[in-house]
Amino acid sequence: MTADDSFGRLDDDDYPAYTMGRAAEMLGTTQGFLRAIGEARLITPLRSAGGHRRYSRYQLRIAARARELVDHGTPIEAACRIVILEDQLEEAQRINAEYRCTAESANPTTAAGDG
């Protein structure tokens, strides 16, 4: 990968740009916490060529939500499950909204007649 390729990925939420140490620092947590949520399968960091864990911005947002729950007293396993369920709910709501838009555009008279 060239430097030019790397610059194109700076805006990519899924690009594993952060080392474990940097990710822990950004979240204000420990590397052990990141390992624990990895073991709980909340996030699966990618590995560098040297085998080091690398995290994306998307993964850091998920880890931050888990940390917020843990900081409020939720056990880590429960926090991971809650975050997974929240993510699944958000995805289901997004899909439902897409279906609704598709149905309304396919049959505009029904949508207009509802009001």
Side-chain angles (χ1 to χ4, degrees), residues 42-69:
L42 177 61
I43 58 175
T44 303
L46 293 174
R47 299 283 181 151
S48 68
H52 301 283
R53 290 175 179 89
R54 305 286 266 175
Y55 297 88
S56 68
R57 286 189 299 193
Y58 174 74
Q59 290 172 322
L60 294 183
R61 282 195 299 273
I62 289 174
R65 175 63 179 135
R67 180 173 181 251
E68 178 183 342
L69 291 167

Side-chain angles (χ1 to χ4, degrees), residues 93-107:
Q93 289 173 331
R94 185 192 62 74
I95 290 168
N96 284 341
E98 286 177 9
Y99 285 150
R100 214 173 299 118
C101 287
T102 300
E104 288 172 359
S105 64
N107 194 357

